[in-house]
Amino acid sequence: MADMSFQLEHINIPAKDPEGLVRWYADKFGLRADRHLARGPGALIAFVKGEPLNRAPEIHVGFRVPSLTALAEWAVRFEAKIKEGEEFNSFQVFDPEGNCVEVYCKGKG
């Protein structure tokens, strides 16, 4: 039988200014800006010319960090308040085109 394993490789998000949005993700999250692509370890976000989805927070980009300490450091960077939960601790911010970005770590459970 063929190997049926897979992993999410990238996501495409419509944007009015794809290259500008990539620069924001590079600046805020340390991703590498490559034309309309934001790249980093385990992350590839492709911004394509189009109208933003405006479906936050139902549709969002999620970045997992390894610990509550790391989450707190990111929260300070964004001046965000951490929401604690049983399964996950997280905070949300919005990029310049209104896309929701959630940064989270495992919770107590």
Short mmCIF file of all heavy atoms in Angstrom, two decimals, residues 4-10 42-43:
data_model
loop_
_atom_site.label_atom_id
_atom_site.label_comp_id
_atom_site.label_asym_id
_atom_site.label_seq_id
_atom_site.Cartn_x
_atom_site.Cartn_y
_atom_site.Cartn_z
N MET A 4 0.33 7.01 2.74
CA MET A 4 -0.76 7.96 2.67
C MET A 4 -0.59 9.12 3.66
O MET A 4 -1.51 9.88 3.88
CB MET A 4 -2.10 7.26 2.93
CG MET A 4 -2.42 6.16 1.93
SD MET A 4 -2.65 6.78 0.26
CE MET A 4 -4.25 7.54 0.44
N SER A 5 0.61 9.24 4.25
CA SER A 5 0.82 10.32 5.21
C SER A 5 0.95 11.65 4.47
O SER A 5 1.31 11.70 3.29
CB SER A 5 2.07 10.06 6.04
OG SER A 5 3.22 10.03 5.22
N PHE A 6 0.62 12.73 5.15
CA PHE A 6 0.76 14.05 4.57
C PHE A 6 0.91 15.09 5.67
O PHE A 6 0.67 14.82 6.83
CB PHE A 6 -0.44 14.40 3.67
CG PHE A 6 -1.75 14.50 4.41
CD1 PHE A 6 -2.19 15.72 4.90
CD2 PHE A 6 -2.54 13.38 4.61
CE1 PHE A 6 -3.39 15.81 5.58
CE2 PHE A 6 -3.75 13.47 5.28
CZ PHE A 6 -4.18 14.69 5.77
N GLN A 7 1.32 16.28 5.27
CA GLN A 7 1.40 17.40 6.21
C GLN A 7 0.99 18.66 5.45
O GLN A 7 1.12 18.72 4.24
CB GLN A 7 2.80 17.56 6.78
CG GLN A 7 3.84 17.96 5.75
CD GLN A 7 5.23 18.03 6.35
OE1 GLN A 7 5.56 17.28 7.25
NE2 GLN A 7 6.04 18.92 5.84
N LEU A 8 0.45 19.61 6.17
CA LEU A 8 0.08 20.87 5.57
C LEU A 8 1.35 21.59 5.16
O LEU A 8 2.24 21.82 5.98
CB LEU A 8 -0.73 21.73 6.56
CG LEU A 8 -1.18 23.08 6.04
CD1 LEU A 8 -2.13 22.92 4.85
CD2 LEU A 8 -1.86 23.85 7.15
N GLU A 9 1.46 21.92 3.90
CA GLU A 9 2.68 22.52 3.36
C GLU A 9 2.60 24.05 3.27
O GLU A 9 3.59 24.74 3.47
CB GLU A 9 2.96 21.93 1.97
CG GLU A 9 4.27 22.34 1.35
CD GLU A 9 5.48 21.84 2.12
OE1 GLU A 9 5.43 20.79 2.78
OE2 GLU A 9 6.50 22.53 2.06
N HIS A 10 1.45 24.57 2.94
CA HIS A 10 1.30 26.03 2.84
C HIS A 10 -0.18 26.40 2.86
O HIS A 10 -1.04 25.54 2.79
CB HIS A 10 1.94 26.55 1.55
CG HIS A 10 1.20 26.17 0.31
ND1 HIS A 10 1.36 24.94 -0.31
CD2 HIS A 10 0.26 26.83 -0.42
CE1 HIS A 10 0.57 24.89 -1.36
NE2 HIS A 10 -0.12 26.01 -1.46
N GLY A 42 8.82 25.48 9.20
CA GLY A 42 7.47 24.94 9.38
C GLY A 42 6.36 25.86 8.95
O GLY A 42 5.20 25.61 9.26
N ALA A 43 6.68 26.95 8.24
CA ALA A 43 5.63 27.90 7.84
C ALA A 43 5.86 28.39 6.42
O ALA A 43 6.98 28.76 6.05
CB ALA A 43 5.62 29.10 8.78
#
